[in-house]
Amino acid sequence: MAADGNITKDVMYGAVAPDDFESMLELDRYNARSTAFDKIISATHDHFWDPLDPKYIDFDEPFDMENEPMIDEAQQPLLRLPYIAETLKDPKEKVRFINYMQLRNFSSILHGEQGALNLSASLCHVLKDQGAQEYAANQTREEARHVTAFARYIKARWGRPTECGAALKSLLIEIIEAPEVYKKVVGMQMLVEGLAMGAFANGYKNNRDPLARKLFQLVMTDEAFHHKFGKIWADRTVPHLSEAERNIMEDWTAHCAQKLLFDRGDPRQQAEIYGQFGLDPERVVADIVQRRKERDPNRKFTGETNIFRVLVKTLLNAGLITDRTRGFYAMYVDMDELAGEGERMVGDDIAEDGIRYLQAINFKDRAAAPVTIAAE
């Protein structure tokens, strides 16, 4: 391990202190650019889109928020709690509840995208390799358009986002402010991005709002490449870790995963919203606790678009889960089932279709290039 606490196994992930600009002016650095990210950088043109241009996505597209639920009632498990089911009998109140919970989901995504923007910008200040730095600069631009796009969507449908959840906020701050590059790459490029890909795939599959589905797909055309940056890092780093370094990295990974699971799983984080629907927060939380007691203790997250399952598969494919930490993830996910699925992710097909859509707009006067998100 380097003296600065970083775990660097490939020179292209070498880093300097964020205030060490002088190192960026070293003459030999300009002739030492890695080529590992060139395909990802070049592909930026294929999946370019502008959230301010309606030819890509039109945020004026209407949706009846008062009468139309954004997802099926069956997709909102809180409505199956006895107390909520007995209280929210008015169909319009059910729609309002479903759509408000969607606002909370979209707000979490918006905050996560803001975190990704700041994280990728911070990498520009510390990564010494020009290729890695250029990639990080491209990602910064793409994350900025995600912030713009989700902010515009929320404004169009609800007017204003909700606050960032305490656990997610804490984790984002921890990742962004971490001086070690490995913490930034694992925390954001793999864990948060892995969670996001699951959320986007799930939203694309289940959201009834065509505008939301288009937004999810466009963002996924970018995120698939961001995830690939993390995968390249893992391929060039994880196999070369010492036992001590692997333990440090696995512990950090499990720590982040646990925070993300807590952010989505703690009913008290949502307690303040129930009063808006005439619900007693304590009774709602009591119902949730009781339901969890009655569950089969061997019950796992299932379904290819389950958010936490996609996150765990991302970590497994990157080699960041071994027998030492497998038990933690196995409490939630069937690890043998994941291992048998191979490396292809659920969002890949959606992203590839989105790239074809963007190529048709961006290069309408030329034949579209073959679509790939598996840049090496």
Side-chain angles (χ1 to χ4, degrees), residues 2-66:
D4 60 3
N6 208 359
I7 300 176
T8 303
K9 298 299 177 181
D10 193 296
V11 67
M12 69 186 183
Y13 293 104
V16 300
D19 58 353
D20 182 14
F21 178 69
E22 188 174 355
S23 292
M24 298 297 172
L25 302 178
E26 293 175 5
L27 299 184
D28 289 341
R29 172 181 170 271
Y30 290 114
N31 290 327
R33 184 187 187 283
S34 67
T35 60
F37 310 110
D38 286 356
K39 288 185 179 179
I40 300 179
I41 293 169
S42 296
T44 299
H45 305 291
D46 286 344
H47 60 101
F48 170 81
W49 58 283
D50 182 355
L52 302 179
D53 188 338
K55 76 181 178 185
Y56 294 100
I57 184 168
D58 185 359
F59 289 100
D60 290 330
E61 186 175 333
F63 186 81
D64 187 354
M65 294 289 288
E66 185 177 349

Side-chain angles (χ1 to χ4, degrees), residues 318-363:
L320 290 168
I321 299 176
T322 65
D323 290 343
R324 180 174 170 272
T325 53
R326 184 184 178 96
F328 164 68
Y329 301 99
M331 291 190 295
Y332 307 102
V333 176
D334 186 329
M335 300 298 291
D336 292 332
E337 183 180 70
L338 279 186
E341 291 180 356
E343 293 197 0
R344 191 160 180 83
M345 300 298 289
V346 63
D348 289 351
D349 290 337
I350 301 170
E352 289 172 8
D353 286 343
I355 292 172
R356 292 187 186 95
Y357 165 79
L358 292 174
Q359 285 178 335
I361 297 173
N362 294 332
F363 309 116

Side-chain angles (χ1 to χ4, degrees), residues 18 26 51 74 80 91 124 148 172 175 192 205 261 267 315 321 323 349 368 370 376:
E26 293 175 5
R80 295 196 294 274
C124 291
T148 296
L172 291 175
I175 293 170
V192 177
K205 176 182 178 182
L261 181 64
L315 301 179
I321 299 176
D323 290 343
D349 290 337
E376 296 298 339

Side-chain angles (χ1 to χ4, degrees), residues 77-285:
L78 289 174
L79 289 175
R80 295 196 294 274
L81 296 175
Y83 171 56
I84 292 184
E86 292 167 7
T87 306
L88 294 184
K89 293 185 178 296
D90 183 350
K92 284 198 172 184
E93 275 296 276
K94 282 188 179 180
V95 170
R96 189 168 76 90
F97 183 82
I98 289 170
N99 290 350
Y100 182 79
M101 297 304 288
Q102 283 295 294
L103 167 60
R104 301 209 28 123
N105 288 341
F106 275 97
S107 297
S108 292
I109 291 171
L110 173 61
H111 298 310
E113 295 292 348
Q114 184 63 60
L117 167 57
N118 283 62
L119 183 281
S120 50
S122 75
L123 286 175
C124 291
H125 291 281
V126 301
L127 289 172
K128 197 170 181 183
D129 179 84
Q130 288 182 81
Q133 194 177 51
E134 184 177 356
Y135 168 78
N138 273 357
Q139 181 173 340
T140 303
R141 171 68 185 91
E142 291 166 2
E143 302 293 4
R145 71 181 174 223
H146 298 174
V147 172
T148 296
F150 279 107
R152 291 199 69 184
Y153 180 78
I154 291 171
K155 183 177 181 180
R157 293 292 183 252
W158 295 279
R160 192 167 185 263
T162 59
E163 294 287 341
C164 187
L168 177 60
K169 182 178 180 180
S170 171
L171 180 61
L172 291 175
I173 292 172
E174 187 176 0
I175 293 170
I176 292 165
E177 294 183 352
E180 302 93 345
V181 171
Y182 83 86
K183 287 187 175 181
K184 293 178 181 292
V185 174
V186 172
M188 185 62 71
Q189 307 292 87
M190 308 207 73
L191 279 130
V192 177
E193 296 281 15
L195 188 77
M197 283 297 279
F200 300 153
N202 189 60
Y204 181 83
K205 176 182 178 182
N206 295 309
N207 203 292
R208 289 176 164 182
D209 182 0
L211 179 59
R213 297 182 77 247
K214 176 56 65 180
L215 175 57
F216 284 133
Q217 184 175 44
L218 289 176
V219 173
M220 289 175 78
T221 66
D222 296 332
E223 299 291 5
F225 289 90
H226 303 169
H227 172 263
K228 187 61 183 179
F229 175 85
K231 186 64 167 62
I232 293 173
W233 169 87
D235 290 344
R236 296 189 177 218
T237 301
V238 174
H240 306 291
L241 295 173
S242 68
E243 182 178 357
E245 289 169 337
R246 176 179 286 279
N247 290 348
I248 289 171
M249 201 167 289
E250 283 189 14
D251 289 345
W252 165 252
T253 302
H255 160 74
C256 293
Q258 191 168 35
K259 273 201 169 184
L260 288 169
L261 181 64
F262 178 81
D263 184 67
R264 302 194 63 82
D266 182 9
R268 291 168 183 80
Q269 286 206 73
Q270 298 181 342
E272 77 278 5
I273 75 171
Y274 301 129
Q276 301 179 39
F277 298 90
L279 298 165
D280 178 352
E282 292 302 319
R283 290 190 63 180
V284 176
V285 171

Side-chain angles (χ1 to χ4, degrees), residues 274-315:
Y274 301 129
Q276 301 179 39
F277 298 90
L279 298 165
D280 178 352
E282 292 302 319
R283 290 190 63 180
V284 176
V285 171
D287 267 9
I288 293 173
V289 171
Q290 182 60 34
R291 182 175 65 180
R292 290 178 177 177
K293 287 180 180 178
E294 294 170 355
R295 281 178 178 168
D296 179 354
N298 297 316
R299 180 177 179 267
K300 310 290 185 183
F301 290 123
T302 59
E304 64 175 4
T305 60
N306 179 276
I307 295 173
F308 196 71
R309 190 177 183 277
V310 174
L311 183 153
V312 177
K313 183 174 180 178
T314 299
L315 301 179

